[in-house]
mmCIF file of all heavy atoms in Angstrom:
data_model
loop_
_atom_site.group_PDB
_atom_site.id
_atom_site.type_symbol
_atom_site.label_atom_id
_atom_site.label_comp_id
_atom_site.label_asym_id
_atom_site.label_seq_id
_atom_site.Cartn_x
_atom_site.Cartn_y
_atom_site.Cartn_z
ATOM 1 N N TYR K 1 213.628 -76.623 63.045
ATOM 2 C CA TYR K 1 214.434 -77.198 64.127
ATOM 3 C C TYR K 1 213.740 -77.005 65.468
ATOM 4 O O TYR K 1 213.698 -77.926 66.302
ATOM 5 C CB TYR K 1 215.808 -76.514 64.140
ATOM 6 C CG TYR K 1 216.611 -76.746 65.389
ATOM 7 C CD1 TYR K 1 217.371 -77.891 65.520
ATOM 8 C CD2 TYR K 1 216.599 -75.807 66.428
ATOM 9 C CE1 TYR K 1 218.125 -78.108 66.702
ATOM 10 C CE2 TYR K 1 217.345 -76.032 67.589
ATOM 11 C CZ TYR K 1 218.101 -77.167 67.700
ATOM 12 O OH TYR K 1 218.828 -77.386 68.855
ATOM 13 N N VAL K 2 213.167 -75.838 65.700
ATOM 14 C CA VAL K 2 212.475 -75.550 66.986
ATOM 15 C C VAL K 2 211.200 -76.384 67.087
ATOM 16 O O VAL K 2 210.923 -76.953 68.152
ATOM 17 C CB VAL K 2 212.161 -74.053 67.092
ATOM 18 C CG1 VAL K 2 211.299 -73.797 68.346
ATOM 19 C CG2 VAL K 2 213.433 -73.237 67.194
ATOM 20 N N LEU K 3 210.451 -76.507 66.008
ATOM 21 C CA LEU K 3 209.199 -77.249 66.013
ATOM 22 C C LEU K 3 209.372 -78.717 66.357
ATOM 23 O O LEU K 3 208.552 -79.342 66.998
ATOM 24 C CB LEU K 3 208.473 -77.092 64.690
ATOM 25 C CG LEU K 3 207.784 -75.739 64.418
ATOM 26 C CD1 LEU K 3 207.303 -75.664 62.980
ATOM 27 C CD2 LEU K 3 206.633 -75.525 65.383
ATOM 28 N N THR K 4 210.468 -79.302 65.877
ATOM 29 C CA THR K 4 210.668 -80.731 66.065
ATOM 30 C C THR K 4 211.659 -81.041 67.178
ATOM 31 O O THR K 4 211.929 -82.217 67.473
ATOM 32 C CB THR K 4 211.225 -81.354 64.760
ATOM 33 O OG1 THR K 4 212.436 -80.693 64.383
ATOM 34 C CG2 THR K 4 210.208 -81.225 63.648
ATOM 35 N N GLY K 5 212.229 -79.983 67.792
ATOM 36 C CA GLY K 5 213.267 -80.211 68.809
ATOM 37 C C GLY K 5 212.756 -80.163 70.238
ATOM 38 O O GLY K 5 211.590 -80.391 70.531
ATOM 39 N N PHE K 6 213.650 -79.858 71.114
ATOM 40 C CA PHE K 6 213.414 -79.832 72.534
ATOM 41 C C PHE K 6 212.183 -78.981 72.879
ATOM 42 O O PHE K 6 212.137 -77.801 72.487
ATOM 43 C CB PHE K 6 214.663 -79.308 73.232
ATOM 44 C CG PHE K 6 214.682 -79.451 74.726
ATOM 45 C CD1 PHE K 6 214.763 -80.722 75.310
ATOM 46 C CD2 PHE K 6 214.682 -78.344 75.549
ATOM 47 C CE1 PHE K 6 214.805 -80.865 76.685
ATOM 48 C CE2 PHE K 6 214.729 -78.466 76.928
ATOM 49 C CZ PHE K 6 214.796 -79.735 77.492
ATOM 50 N N PRO K 7 211.230 -79.529 73.641
ATOM 51 C CA PRO K 7 209.955 -78.814 73.855
ATOM 52 C C PRO K 7 209.937 -77.771 74.978
ATOM 53 O O PRO K 7 209.094 -77.805 75.836
ATOM 54 C CB PRO K 7 209.013 -79.984 74.197
ATOM 55 C CG PRO K 7 209.861 -80.933 74.969
ATOM 56 C CD PRO K 7 211.218 -80.838 74.294
ATOM 57 N N PHE K 8 210.883 -76.851 74.893
ATOM 58 C CA PHE K 8 210.961 -75.803 75.882
ATOM 59 C C PHE K 8 210.487 -74.485 75.273
ATOM 60 O O PHE K 8 211.085 -73.979 74.335
ATOM 61 C CB PHE K 8 212.407 -75.657 76.386
ATOM 62 C CG PHE K 8 212.616 -74.478 77.303
ATOM 63 C CD1 PHE K 8 212.076 -74.495 78.592
ATOM 64 C CD2 PHE K 8 213.340 -73.383 76.872
ATOM 65 C CE1 PHE K 8 212.260 -73.411 79.437
ATOM 66 C CE2 PHE K 8 213.521 -72.274 77.723
ATOM 67 C CZ PHE K 8 212.996 -72.310 78.998
ATOM 68 N N LYS K 9 209.385 -73.950 75.821
ATOM 69 C CA LYS K 9 208.822 -72.679 75.373
ATOM 70 C C LYS K 9 208.823 -72.577 73.846
ATOM 71 O O LYS K 9 209.213 -71.580 73.250
ATOM 72 C CB LYS K 9 209.655 -71.524 75.975
ATOM 73 C CG LYS K 9 209.489 -71.365 77.482
ATOM 74 C CD LYS K 9 210.222 -70.140 77.984
ATOM 75 C CE LYS K 9 209.960 -69.877 79.455
ATOM 76 N NZ LYS K 9 208.593 -69.467 79.745
ATOM 77 N N VAL K 10 208.299 -73.608 73.211
ATOM 78 C CA VAL K 10 208.299 -73.664 71.750
ATOM 79 C C VAL K 10 207.487 -72.507 71.164
ATOM 80 O O VAL K 10 207.911 -71.871 70.209
ATOM 81 C CB VAL K 10 207.730 -75.023 71.263
ATOM 82 C CG1 VAL K 10 207.577 -75.028 69.768
ATOM 83 C CG2 VAL K 10 208.672 -76.148 71.693
ATOM 84 N N ASP K 11 206.340 -72.242 71.743
ATOM 85 C CA ASP K 11 205.470 -71.168 71.215
ATOM 86 C C ASP K 11 206.178 -69.821 71.210
ATOM 87 O O ASP K 11 206.115 -69.061 70.263
ATOM 88 C CB ASP K 11 204.165 -71.065 72.014
ATOM 89 C CG ASP K 11 203.280 -72.270 71.806
ATOM 90 O OD1 ASP K 11 203.489 -73.022 70.812
ATOM 91 O OD2 ASP K 11 202.386 -72.506 72.661
ATOM 92 N N ASP K 12 206.889 -69.528 72.321
ATOM 93 C CA ASP K 12 207.601 -68.262 72.421
ATOM 94 C C ASP K 12 208.723 -68.174 71.400
ATOM 95 O O ASP K 12 208.956 -67.125 70.783
ATOM 96 C CB ASP K 12 208.181 -68.066 73.818
ATOM 97 C CG ASP K 12 207.072 -67.927 74.881
ATOM 98 O OD1 ASP K 12 205.923 -67.649 74.499
ATOM 99 O OD2 ASP K 12 207.382 -68.090 76.074
ATOM 100 N N ARG K 13 209.455 -69.299 71.234
ATOM 101 C CA ARG K 13 210.589 -69.276 70.286
ATOM 102 C C ARG K 13 210.104 -69.166 68.856
ATOM 103 O O ARG K 13 210.695 -68.456 68.038
ATOM 104 C CB ARG K 13 211.421 -70.550 70.494
ATOM 105 C CG ARG K 13 212.195 -70.566 71.818
ATOM 106 C CD ARG K 13 212.433 -71.966 72.343
ATOM 107 N NE ARG K 13 213.353 -72.711 71.509
ATOM 108 C CZ ARG K 13 213.451 -74.027 71.527
ATOM 109 N NH1 ARG K 13 212.619 -74.748 72.294
ATOM 110 N NH2 ARG K 13 214.331 -74.663 70.767
ATOM 111 N N ILE K 14 208.994 -69.847 68.561
ATOM 112 C CA ILE K 14 208.443 -69.772 67.214
ATOM 113 C C ILE K 14 207.919 -68.373 66.931
ATOM 114 O O ILE K 14 208.070 -67.811 65.833
ATOM 115 C CB ILE K 14 207.317 -70.797 67.020
ATOM 116 C CG1 ILE K 14 207.906 -72.208 67.004
ATOM 117 C CG2 ILE K 14 206.532 -70.537 65.727
ATOM 118 C CD1 ILE K 14 208.850 -72.508 65.864
ATOM 119 N N GLN K 15 207.275 -67.763 67.929
ATOM 120 C CA GLN K 15 206.760 -66.409 67.756
ATOM 121 C C GLN K 15 207.862 -65.428 67.471
ATOM 122 O O GLN K 15 207.717 -64.535 66.602
ATOM 123 C CB GLN K 15 206.011 -65.989 69.018
ATOM 124 C CG GLN K 15 205.357 -64.621 68.915
ATOM 125 C CD GLN K 15 204.595 -64.237 70.184
ATOM 126 O OE1 GLN K 15 204.568 -64.972 71.142
ATOM 127 N NE2 GLN K 15 203.991 -63.055 70.165
ATOM 128 N N ALA K 16 209.017 -65.578 68.105
ATOM 129 C CA ALA K 16 210.139 -64.682 67.854
ATOM 130 C C ALA K 16 210.656 -64.854 66.405
ATOM 131 O O ALA K 16 210.975 -63.864 65.727
ATOM 132 C CB ALA K 16 211.272 -65.000 68.827
ATOM 133 N N ILE K 17 210.693 -66.093 65.915
ATOM 134 C CA ILE K 17 211.139 -66.342 64.533
ATOM 135 C C ILE K 17 210.152 -65.751 63.550
ATOM 136 O O ILE K 17 210.534 -65.060 62.590
ATOM 137 C CB ILE K 17 211.322 -67.835 64.298
ATOM 138 C CG1 ILE K 17 212.418 -68.422 65.205
ATOM 139 C CG2 ILE K 17 211.642 -68.118 62.825
ATOM 140 C CD1 ILE K 17 212.512 -69.916 65.158
ATOM 141 N N GLU K 18 208.851 -66.048 63.761
ATOM 142 C CA GLU K 18 207.825 -65.553 62.812
ATOM 143 C C GLU K 18 207.759 -64.028 62.806
ATOM 144 O O GLU K 18 207.468 -63.429 61.755
ATOM 145 C CB GLU K 18 206.460 -66.158 63.192
ATOM 146 C CG GLU K 18 206.406 -67.679 62.921
ATOM 147 C CD GLU K 18 205.069 -68.272 63.304
ATOM 148 O OE1 GLU K 18 204.319 -67.602 64.056
ATOM 149 O OE2 GLU K 18 204.738 -69.383 62.846
ATOM 150 N N SER K 19 207.981 -63.425 63.957
ATOM 151 C CA SER K 19 207.965 -61.937 63.997
ATOM 152 C C SER K 19 209.081 -61.374 63.148
ATOM 153 O O SER K 19 208.871 -60.398 62.400
ATOM 154 C CB SER K 19 208.099 -61.484 65.462
ATOM 155 O OG SER K 19 208.201 -60.084 65.511
ATOM 156 N N LEU K 20 210.274 -62.001 63.223
ATOM 157 C CA LEU K 20 211.395 -61.536 62.442
ATOM 158 C C LEU K 20 211.134 -61.782 60.969
ATOM 159 O O LEU K 20 211.427 -60.905 60.116
ATOM 160 C CB LEU K 20 212.684 -62.230 62.888
ATOM 161 C CG LEU K 20 213.956 -61.869 62.113
ATOM 162 C CD1 LEU K 20 214.199 -60.356 62.169
ATOM 163 C CD2 LEU K 20 215.165 -62.611 62.707
ATOM 164 N N VAL K 21 210.579 -62.950 60.614
ATOM 165 C CA VAL K 21 210.287 -63.236 59.205
ATOM 166 C C VAL K 21 209.276 -62.226 58.660
ATOM 167 O O VAL K 21 209.424 -61.733 57.542
ATOM 168 C CB VAL K 21 209.704 -64.659 59.084
ATOM 169 C CG1 VAL K 21 209.110 -64.895 57.684
ATOM 170 C CG2 VAL K 21 210.792 -65.693 59.345
ATOM 171 N N ASN K 22 208.267 -61.923 59.456
ATOM 172 C CA ASN K 22 207.223 -60.948 59.033
ATOM 173 C C ASN K 22 207.852 -59.566 58.787
ATOM 174 O O ASN K 22 207.547 -58.890 57.786
ATOM 175 C CB ASN K 22 206.157 -60.837 60.098
ATOM 176 C CG ASN K 22 205.067 -59.878 59.730
ATOM 177 O OD1 ASN K 22 204.291 -60.098 58.815
ATOM 178 N ND2 ASN K 22 205.006 -58.756 60.461
ATOM 179 N N ASN K 23 208.773 -59.165 59.659
ATOM 180 C CA ASN K 23 209.415 -57.850 59.496
ATOM 181 C C ASN K 23 210.285 -57.845 58.224
ATOM 182 O O ASN K 23 210.368 -56.799 57.545
ATOM 183 C CB ASN K 23 210.283 -57.546 60.713
ATOM 184 C CG ASN K 23 209.429 -57.224 61.937
ATOM 185 O OD1 ASN K 23 208.262 -56.862 61.796
ATOM 186 N ND2 ASN K 23 210.026 -57.357 63.089
ATOM 187 N N ILE K 24 210.928 -58.955 57.924
ATOM 188 C CA ILE K 24 211.774 -59.013 56.717
ATOM 189 C C ILE K 24 210.923 -58.977 55.471
ATOM 190 O O ILE K 24 211.198 -58.231 54.518
ATOM 191 C CB ILE K 24 212.649 -60.313 56.757
ATOM 192 C CG1 ILE K 24 213.642 -60.268 57.890
ATOM 193 C CG2 ILE K 24 213.385 -60.477 55.415
ATOM 194 C CD1 ILE K 24 214.374 -61.575 58.127
ATOM 195 N N GLU K 25 209.870 -59.794 55.452
ATOM 196 C CA GLU K 25 209.027 -59.878 54.248
ATOM 197 C C GLU K 25 208.293 -58.540 53.996
ATOM 198 O O GLU K 25 208.053 -58.190 52.835
ATOM 199 C CB GLU K 25 207.980 -61.011 54.446
ATOM 200 C CG GLU K 25 208.623 -62.373 54.392
ATOM 201 C CD GLU K 25 207.607 -63.492 54.617
ATOM 202 O OE1 GLU K 25 206.526 -63.194 55.223
ATOM 203 O OE2 GLU K 25 207.874 -64.649 54.211
ATOM 204 N N ASN K 26 207.943 -57.846 55.048
ATOM 205 C CA ASN K 26 207.245 -56.570 54.880
ATOM 206 C C ASN K 26 208.173 -55.348 54.900
ATOM 207 O O ASN K 26 207.685 -54.235 55.013
ATOM 208 C CB ASN K 26 206.168 -56.445 55.975
ATOM 209 C CG ASN K 26 205.044 -57.457 55.811
ATOM 210 O OD1 ASN K 26 204.233 -57.338 54.863
ATOM 211 N ND2 ASN K 26 204.985 -58.392 56.701
ATOM 212 N N GLN K 27 209.487 -55.648 54.838
ATOM 213 C CA GLN K 27 210.498 -54.593 54.771
ATOM 214 C C GLN K 27 210.404 -53.624 55.935
ATOM 215 O O GLN K 27 210.598 -52.418 55.787
ATOM 216 C CB GLN K 27 210.401 -53.855 53.432
ATOM 217 C CG GLN K 27 210.643 -54.767 52.209
ATOM 218 C CD GLN K 27 210.530 -54.014 50.903
ATOM 219 O OE1 GLN K 27 210.109 -52.851 50.853
ATOM 220 N NE2 GLN K 27 210.965 -54.677 49.839
ATOM 221 N N LEU K 28 210.095 -54.180 57.112
ATOM 222 C CA LEU K 28 210.011 -53.376 58.316
ATOM 223 C C LEU K 28 211.345 -53.309 59.037
ATOM 224 O O LEU K 28 211.488 -52.557 60.004
ATOM 225 C CB LEU K 28 208.936 -53.940 59.272
ATOM 226 C CG LEU K 28 207.501 -54.002 58.723
ATOM 227 C CD1 LEU K 28 206.580 -54.639 59.726
ATOM 228 C CD2 LEU K 28 207.039 -52.580 58.371
ATOM 229 N N VAL K 29 212.316 -54.092 58.566
ATOM 230 C CA VAL K 29 213.644 -54.087 59.160
ATOM 231 C C VAL K 29 214.665 -54.244 58.040
ATOM 232 O O VAL K 29 214.441 -54.949 57.052
ATOM 233 C CB VAL K 29 213.802 -55.250 60.198
ATOM 234 C CG1 VAL K 29 213.614 -56.610 59.545
ATOM 235 C CG2 VAL K 29 215.126 -55.148 60.903
ATOM 236 N N ASP K 30 215.787 -53.538 58.207
ATOM 237 C CA ASP K 30 216.827 -53.667 57.212
ATOM 238 C C ASP K 30 217.414 -55.087 57.259
ATOM 239 O O ASP K 30 217.651 -55.612 58.354
ATOM 240 C CB ASP K 30 217.927 -52.658 57.553
ATOM 241 C CG ASP K 30 219.061 -52.728 56.564
ATOM 242 O OD1 ASP K 30 218.938 -52.163 55.462
ATOM 243 O OD2 ASP K 30 220.097 -53.378 56.901
#
């Protein structure tokens, strides 16, 4: 949704999502 949507600070928003995904996959966060 972010990649194809409104082009406001897309890189920052994607980075926040990917960081959370990485933490979940690597069991760094409950």
Side-chain angles (χ1 to χ4, degrees):
Y1 166 83
V2 173
L3 286 171
T4 58
F6 191 66
F8 173 71
K9 291 185 174 291
V10 173
D11 291 343
D12 294 343
R13 290 152 68 200
I14 291 297
Q15 184 179 0
I17 296 170
E18 290 179 343
S19 176
L20 179 55
V21 168
N22 180 69
N23 289 339
I24 294 171
E25 290 178 337
N26 292 290
Q27 299 180 350
L28 299 176
V29 61
D30 180 80

